[in-house]
Amino acid sequence: MSKAPVSTNAQLLYLIEPENGARAYQHINADPITGEQKENIAREEKAVVIENLRGKEDSVSLDTAGFQYHHHPAKHTKFERDEDIQSEYYPESIELIKKLTGASRVVLFDHTIRRRRPGQVDDSTDKRQPVAQVHVDQTTASAIARVHRHLPASDVPKLLERRFQLINLWRPISYPALDWPLALCDYRSIDLKSDLFPIALIYPDREGETLGVKYNESHQWKYLRNMTPEEVVLIKCFDSVQDGSVAICTPHTGFRDPTTPEGTPHRQSIEIRALVFYDQAA
C-alpha cells in the first residue's frame, strides 16, 4: 500500500473586495436560468500547497488552528430524510460537541447536505454542492443575530454575556471524501484586519452575512486526505473571545485535488451548524 501524500498542490478560489467601498453581496441561490449567483465580488485562483494532516490530526485544535478532527462513527448513517437527521443525528451531535468543547449548552440551528453533481445548478437547499471559494461562515454581527434568531428572547441577554461560538460539524457521508475534500486555513496564518471582508448573503426571505477571504501568501492550508464517514471535523466560524488567546474563525473551502484517482465517487457530506455556549464570561 502506497503512503498517503505529505501534501497536495491545488488552485483555490479567493475573493476580491469590491472597489470604491461598495458593500459586497452574494445571493445564496443561483439563478435557475443562467445558473449564476447575482453578486458584485470577483475571484482569483491562487496556487497553494495543502498539507495532509493524516497521522498528525492532533497537531490542530479549535482554539489553536480553529478546527479539530475527531474519530466518531455516527449512529445515524442514512442522511436521507431531514426529519430523521433532526431526530436521530442532531442529539448525538449535540453530545459530541459538548464532549469535545466542554460547552454547557449546544443549539443546532440547521444542516446542509452537499452532493457534488457536475453540471447541476445549485439553486435550492436540496441541490447544494461543495463550496468552491475560500470563506468564513459568520461575522460578529451575523453570529449575534443567530443567537437572537434561534434562542428564546428571555435567554439571550445572559447568553451574550458569556462565551459563545458558532461551530460547524462536518462529516463525509456514504464513503470517504477523496473527491473534492475540505481545505482549512490555520487561523495562526491569517491577518484578521487585511484578509477578511464582510459579504451580505441574500436569501429569498432574509439576509445574512459571511466573510470573504482575500489571498495572502502566508496562509497555511491543511486537509485530511481520504476523510471517512467515521471522522468529523469541527470548524470554528466565530468565537466571542477575541483577546488574542484563541482562534476566532477558520477560512475553508472545498477544492479539486489533482491527485484524486479517476473514477472516485463524487463527494457527499453533511455539515451541522451549532451555537455553542459556555458558563465562562465572554
Side-chain angles (χ1 to χ4, degrees), residues 3 19 32 49 55 90 103-104 132 145 156 160 174 186 188 190 198 258 262 267:
K3 290 184 177 181
E19 296 179 352
V49 176
Y90 274 30
S104 56
V156 169
L160 292 180
S174 300
D186 191 316
R188 294 165 290 192
I190 68 173
E262 188 174 348
R267 190 247 273 184

Side-chain angles (χ1 to χ4, degrees), residues 87-212:
S87 65
E88 298 175 11
Y89 188 56
Y90 274 30
E92 63 175 297
S93 297
I94 288 172
E95 292 310 307
L96 177 60
I97 293 171
K98 283 184 175 180
K99 173 186 173 183
L100 295 179
T101 64
S104 56
R105 184 174 182 179
V106 173
V107 175
L108 307 184
F109 58 87
D110 72 11
H111 68 272
T112 300
I113 291 178
R114 300 188 187 277
R115 294 184 170 94
R116 193 168 81 83
R117 299 184 177 107
Q120 178 174 277
V121 177
D122 188 342
D123 62 357
S124 64
T125 55
D126 62 345
K127 296 180 182 178
R128 293 291 181 239
Q129 306 252 22
V131 177
Q133 65 182 29
V134 182
H135 67 287
V136 175
D137 287 18
Q138 305 288 338
T139 64
T140 296
S142 64
I144 293 172
R146 284 287 185 187
V147 178
H148 283 278
R149 186 175 177 204
H150 301 294
L151 276 296
S154 59
D155 293 357
V156 169
K158 286 197 173 183
L159 289 174
L160 292 180
E161 289 176 0
R162 301 182 221 148
R163 184 185 190 186
F164 80 95
Q165 302 164 330
L166 270 87
I167 292 175
N168 289 0
L169 179 69
W170 191 95
R171 178 192 297 272
I173 57 178
S174 300
Y175 38 74
L178 189 56
D179 171 73
W180 274 80
L182 185 69
L184 301 118
C185 187
D186 191 316
Y187 173 80
R188 294 165 290 192
S189 69
I190 68 173
D191 185 325
L192 283 177
K193 293 183 179 179
S194 61
D195 292 352
L196 310 176
F197 65 95
I199 300 175
L201 196 58
I202 312 299
Y203 292 83
D205 59 343
R206 62 185 177 87
E207 185 176 299
E209 192 173 60
T210 64
L211 287 171

Side-chain angles (χ1 to χ4, degrees), residues 11 14 17 32 42 59 76 79 101 132 135 193-194 207 209 225:
Q11 299 284 329
Y14 280 90
E17 194 169 7
S59 65
H76 178 85
F79 300 106
T101 64
H135 67 287
K193 293 183 179 179
S194 61
E207 185 176 299
E209 192 173 60
R225 183 175 173 84

